[in-house]
Amino acid sequence: MGLCGFVMTIPMEKKNVMIATSNHSLGDRLKIRRKQMSLLCGFAMKIPNEGVKEKKKRVVKSSQEVMRVLKSTNKDPNSAFLHFMVVASSVVLTTKACNYMLQILVTHNRVEDMAVVFDLMQKKKVKRNLNTYLAIFQGLYIRGGIRQAPVALEKMRMAGFVLNASSYNGLICFLLQSGFFREALEVYNRMVMEGMKPGLKVYSALMVAFGKQKDTQTVMSLFKEMEGLGLKPDIYTFTICIRVLGMAGKIDEAYDVLKRMDKEGCKPDVVTYNVLIDALCTAGKFDNAMALFVDMKASSCYKPDRVTYITLLGKLSDFGELETMEEIWDEMEADGFVPDVVFFTILVNAYCKAGNIEKAFDTLDLMKKKGISPNLRTYNTLIRGLLRESSCVPDVFTYNLLVGENGKIIGDNEKFGKISKLLLGLYEEMCSKGCKPDAITYNILISSLVKYSSVDKAIDLYYDHVGCDFAPSPHTYGSLIDGLFKLGRHEEAMLFFHEMAEYGCKANRAIFNILINGFGKTGDVETARHLFRRMVKEGIRPDLKTYTVLVDSLCLSGKVDEALCYFEELKQSGLSLNIVCYKLLINALGRSHRVEEALLLYEEMQCRGICPDRYTYNSLILSLGIAGMVEQAVSMYEELQFKGFEADVFTYNALIRAYITSGNTDHAFTVYKKMLVVGCDPNVETFVQLSNQTSNVLFGG
């Protein structure tokens, strides 16, 4: 006879408990259900056995056996549930077994019994994991996963699930681990409203989560609420507060927390001081950071550790404080810390940022002499440093690199060839050392090679390693496509654009901007407009740069009205405008003899708080002069000077043209003389503007 058959032999006074409960409320039914299961667990083994030969009772000894029985009865929820409840008093149940029971009940829509199982898990202190809650949500028809916990709690309550403090704590942690910080905060608030006290661990986890989001207000509110509930902050929670306040630049408040720690007998440790040093350095307060560092060295409790030195050296490197950094390096070695690859990479990075490539490579050599193998980050830092160096004033190392065999500075092509060779040399060295390049390495190398006019080498590198050694990103394709456009190889650029999809790489806004600009510069505005429409269709919102390159392309092609249409669309988009689009359109309207419209845009930009630059004034002076509006052109020139701009050759050329167009060669000559007096050298256009007669006068002919 199965367990379900035992019910018929239950004494009458107990059997009455099992009468149908359809007329009771859900809460009452659940109480009765729990009582039923309590009775079953209490007397199931005392069933009368008159007339039946007693068989040897089988005792379930393990949770694994419980799982085996549940799996064999999963199609019969009554037998499975009854077995589960009977053995619950004698077997240490696991989370896996409980979750399996919940899944059986979910399948058969037994929500009330699920609440009983969950209650048992809480009482027996069986760990509730993420799958526990997901099973319950499934049973209550709640979609959206763990993120729906705030909504699910009310439905759980109505279905008879009563969470204790431990369950609330666990649910909050699951939400935080899944990145659902706001939802975790909602569950926390409900827990507190129900009169339960979250654990210190939960408060710390919440504070860390919102600290990462730089939400100082929420972190400090949690800290106060924790104290209000009688929980005493420990060194960990105090340190979290210092870190968050430091990240927000609230250094004075961070110091106040440090003082409070000491006052309350919670001594800070080296981690606390490291956090405060990091905050001080980030805020640029190196004097305070160094003072704190000196205090640490004088202390017997929190001497500087490896993290202290890494923090100080890293921050000093970021801010270019090379001299102080080298002093700290010496102190670190004096304190017995042996520099490893992390320390040397920080030093390499510092020299690269300072543009001192020679010292960066000397540091690489020193590492090798000391038997320290450079790692991926070391090589990436050096490669990036070489890329950055191209825009800096060269040091001795770079100068020597650029000097040819005859002692003269080599031309761009040869120079770029040498730098490309050096970059590829670093790449080959890291590979030979067993240091496998990552996507960052390949992207930096490809960008560098493109920048140094070695596009074909960049393409070879891409095809040699794509798909097997690294997964390309939009940045990879952006460099290649841009480089090909600059060489006029548009068809190849489009091949790379189409190839992106083959590697699961979706074109982003930057890629479309490069394409629109590339085709626009060649005068193929139809393709540029098509690409603009395509990016919008694909859900990519154009930014200011998108509109600017499209407006520029249309202006260059003489399609000013279309450019104005896109400019109006830009104004309606909510994006912040800058001067670039205005001066492009003002120049285009002027060249199209639409001076009045150009002046209207000039007024509009000033109303928006956008100040005209010298290019804008030069365009207007030229346009007004060509239109014969000489007085207005002169007024614009005077306004340029009043705004603090210095007239350049283009300004003077525009004025000369204005006077010549109006037939006033004397004034044109006066402007020319003024150019010479102020030290502004005329160019070819200056002389072209003047008549032959004037030129003869100027040269004494």
Side-chain angles (χ1 to χ4, degrees):
M1 183 181 292
L3 284 170
C4 291
F6 293 160
V7 178
M8 302 304 297
T9 62
I10 296 172
M12 194 61 194
E13 66 271 20
K14 292 182 179 179
K15 190 166 64 174
N16 289 337
V17 178
M18 306 182 77
I19 297 172
T21 56
S22 58
N23 294 325
H24 294 279
S25 67
L26 180 59
D28 292 337
R29 294 207 305 273
L30 284 166
K31 289 178 183 177
I32 292 170
R33 186 66 172 153
R34 290 188 180 104
K35 190 171 182 181
Q36 289 172 354
M37 300 323 299
S38 175
L39 290 172
L40 280 171
C41 293
F43 63 78
M45 301 308 294
K46 299 180 182 179
I47 299 167
N49 58 355
E50 291 87 348
V52 179
K53 188 176 180 180
E54 187 173 351
K55 294 182 180 179
K56 188 176 180 180
K57 296 175 183 176
R58 184 163 182 225
V59 180
V60 178
K61 295 181 179 179
S62 69
S63 184
Q64 288 85 352
E65 192 169 349
V66 174
M67 281 291 295
R68 184 187 63 76
V69 175
L70 288 177
K71 288 179 179 180
S72 68
T73 59
N74 60 7
K75 293 183 180 179
D76 182 359
N78 291 319
S79 297
F81 182 58
L82 197 52
H83 170 76
F84 180 83
M85 296 305 295
V86 167
V87 301
S89 60
S90 58
V91 174
V92 177
L93 294 171
T94 63
T95 303
K96 185 178 179 181
C98 293
N99 285 352
Y100 193 82
M101 185 69 249
L102 285 171
Q103 281 297 339
I104 293 172
L105 296 170
V106 167
T107 305
H108 296 278
N109 199 27
R110 300 274 288 268
V111 176
E112 292 181 20
D113 291 338
M114 288 176 67
V116 173
V117 173
F118 182 76
D119 187 55
L120 180 68
M121 292 178 76
Q122 293 187 130
K123 288 177 179 176
K124 295 281 187 180
K125 296 184 179 179
V126 180
K127 183 179 178 181
R128 281 79 69 201
N129 65 12
L130 185 61
N131 289 332
T132 309
Y133 291 102
L134 293 178
I136 294 169
F137 290 6
Q138 186 182 353
L140 295 172
Y141 300 101
I142 298 168
R143 295 181 178 180
I146 196 67
R147 188 173 193 171
Q148 299 303 314
V151 176
L153 283 175
E154 182 58 27
K155 289 189 177 183
M156 287 176 71
R157 184 191 66 78
M158 293 175 66
F161 293 85
V162 181
L163 275 69
N164 62 16
S166 177
S167 292
Y168 267 113
N169 285 339
L171 188 54
I172 291 167
C173 288
F174 291 140
L175 286 164
L176 292 174
Q177 289 164 12
S178 302
F180 303 129
F181 300 160
R182 289 294 162 192
E183 289 79 2
L185 193 63
E186 287 183 54
V187 173
Y188 157 81
N189 287 330
R190 180 172 183 127
M191 180 182 183
V192 173
M193 285 174 62
E194 290 185 8
M196 296 183 207
K197 185 187 293 185
L200 196 61
K201 182 180 176 182
V202 169
Y203 274 108
S204 297
L206 282 165
M207 290 165 70
V208 167
F210 284 96
K212 288 178 180 177
Q213 292 190 324
K214 300 183 180 180
D215 188 346
T216 311
Q217 184 177 352
T218 299
V219 172
M220 298 313 294
S221 295
L222 285 165
F223 185 71
K224 289 179 182 177
E225 287 175 25
M226 179 183 73
E227 291 183 294
L229 290 173
L231 289 170
K232 187 176 180 181
D234 60 8
I235 189 170
Y236 186 59
T237 47
F238 275 123
T239 302
I240 292 168
C241 290
I242 291 172
R243 184 186 297 279
V244 172
L245 290 167
M247 286 168 65
K250 298 182 178 181
I251 305 299
D252 292 338
E253 292 178 46
Y255 265 114
D256 290 340
V257 174
L258 184 68
K259 292 174 186 174
R260 181 181 163 184
M261 287 179 72
D262 193 51
K263 186 178 178 182
E264 294 187 11
C266 183
K267 295 293 181 184
D269 61 7
V270 65
V271 176
T272 312
Y273 278 97
N274 287 345
V275 166
L276 192 52
I277 284 174
D278 181 74
L280 289 165
C281 290
T282 302
K285 297 189 175 185
F286 289 105
D287 290 340
N288 301 78
M290 292 305 298
L292 203 60
F293 172 70
V294 171
D295 289 344
M296 290 178 74
K297 293 198 72 174
S299 168
S300 58
C301 302
Y302 37 82
K303 291 277 187 187
D305 62 3
R306 183 173 180 272
V307 176
T308 315
Y309 283 108
I310 288 175
T311 303
L312 268 174
L313 292 169
K315 292 295 182 181
L316 290 166
S317 167
D318 291 341
F319 283 84
E321 298 282 342
L322 275 177
E323 189 176 336
T324 309
M325 186 180 173
E326 288 168 348
E327 290 173 6
I328 295 294
W329 185 281
D330 292 339
E331 286 196 44
M332 175 189 73
E333 291 186 310
D335 285 346
F337 290 94
V338 179
D340 59 11
V341 66
V342 176
F343 287 99
F344 275 110
T345 301
I346 291 172
L347 194 57
V348 167
N349 187 49
Y351 289 134
C352 284
K353 283 185 174 179
N356 196 334
I357 299 298
E358 182 182 16
K359 275 204 168 185
F361 274 85
D362 286 345
T363 304
L364 182 68
D365 291 337
L366 181 61
M367 287 177 69
K368 295 173 185 176
K369 288 177 184 176
K370 288 180 174 287
I372 300 169
S373 298
N375 62 15
L376 179 63
R377 187 165 185 178
T378 316
Y379 282 113
N380 283 351
T381 301
L382 275 167
I383 293 169
R384 189 182 284 112
L386 278 171
L387 179 61
R388 185 188 299 118
E389 178 64 18
S390 65
S391 59
C392 302
V393 176
D395 60 6
V396 176
F397 176 81
T398 315
Y399 182 85
N400 290 337
L401 178 69
L402 303 183
V403 172
E405 293 179 0
N406 58 1
K408 295 181 180 179
I409 298 293
I410 60 181
D412 279 351
N413 290 337
E414 193 178 347
K415 173 182 73 173
F416 292 159
K418 279 202 168 188
I419 296 177
S420 297
K421 190 175 180 180
L422 187 61
L423 285 165
L424 291 172
L426 276 173
Y427 166 72
E428 289 168 3
E429 180 184 316
M430 67 188 293
C431 291
S432 67
K433 299 281 186 184
C435 186
K436 188 177 180 181
D438 62 0
I440 295 173
T441 317
Y442 286 111
N443 282 336
I444 297 171
L445 277 169
I446 288 168
S447 296
S448 304
L449 291 168
V450 169
K451 184 172 183 178
Y452 293 129
S453 299
S454 297
V455 176
D456 288 318
K457 285 183 180 178
I459 292 171
D460 289 342
L461 184 69
Y462 165 83
Y463 278 119
D464 285 345
H465 300 281
V466 69
C468 52
D469 295 327
F470 84 107
S473 67
H475 181 78
T476 315
Y477 290 106
S479 299
L480 290 168
I481 292 169
D482 193 39
L484 287 166
F485 265 117
K486 286 175 180 174
L487 293 175
R489 294 156 64 176
H490 307 145
E491 291 182 4
E492 290 177 75
M494 286 305 290
L495 287 175
F496 274 108
F497 175 62
H498 295 307
E499 189 173 303
M500 291 179 70
E502 294 179 23
Y503 292 98
C505 189
K506 190 176 180 352
N508 60 13
R509 185 186 294 114
I511 295 289
F512 276 105
N513 286 350
I514 291 168
L515 290 168
I516 292 168
N517 185 56
F519 282 108
K521 286 288 189 291
T522 64
D524 188 355
V525 290
E526 187 55 45
T527 302
R529 282 181 298 192
H530 168 74
L531 286 163
F532 180 87
R533 290 192 295 269
R534 176 173 170 176
M535 73 180 289
V536 172
K537 188 177 180 180
E538 291 184 11
I540 302 170
R541 189 187 178 203
D543 62 2
L544 183 60
K545 186 173 182 179
T546 317
Y547 281 105
T548 302
V549 295
L550 187 56
V551 166
D552 186 28
S553 301
L554 291 165
C555 288
L556 288 172
S557 299
K559 300 181 183 296
V560 183
D561 288 326
E562 288 184 50
L564 286 167
C565 287
Y566 280 107
F567 183 61
E568 286 301 317
E569 186 179 313
L570 168 61
K571 289 192 283 187
Q572 298 298 320
S573 69
L575 293 167
S576 297
L577 298 175
N578 63 12
I579 192 174
V580 180
C581 271
Y582 275 105
K583 65 184 185 182
L584 288 172
L585 284 165
I586 287 170
N587 183 50
L589 287 166
R591 284 190 285 107
S592 301
H593 308 291
R594 296 162 66 172
V595 183
E596 296 297 334
E597 291 174 77
L599 288 171
L600 287 173
L601 278 180
Y602 168 72
E603 295 295 334
E604 181 186 302
M605 69 185 290
Q606 292 185 96
C607 290
R608 287 180 178 269
I610 301 171
C611 298
D613 61 3
R614 185 166 57 190
Y615 179 91
T616 313
Y617 282 113
N618 287 349
S619 295
L620 285 168
I621 293 167
L622 180 62
S623 301
L624 289 165
I626 292 172
M629 303 166 70
V630 181
E631 290 184 10
Q632 291 94 323
V634 173
S635 296
M636 199 63 69
Y637 165 71
E638 290 170 351
E639 187 175 323
L640 173 145
Q641 292 180 306
F642 179 75
K643 291 286 179 71
F645 293 107
E646 186 177 333
D648 61 8
V649 66
F650 300 103
T651 316
Y652 289 115
N653 284 348
L655 274 174
I656 288 170
R657 183 165 182 179
Y659 284 123
I660 289 175
T661 302
S662 65
N664 198 332
T665 53
D666 290 340
H667 280 82
F669 181 69
T670 303
V671 172
Y672 173 78
K673 284 173 55 177
K674 185 173 182 179
M675 283 181 73
L676 300 177
V677 170
V678 299
C680 180
D681 295 328
N683 60 14
V684 174
E685 188 183 347
T686 313
F687 298 111
V688 170
Q689 302 269 35
L690 300 169
S691 67
N692 291 331
Q693 184 180 357
T694 308
S695 297
N696 289 333
V697 172
L698 294 173
F699 292 102

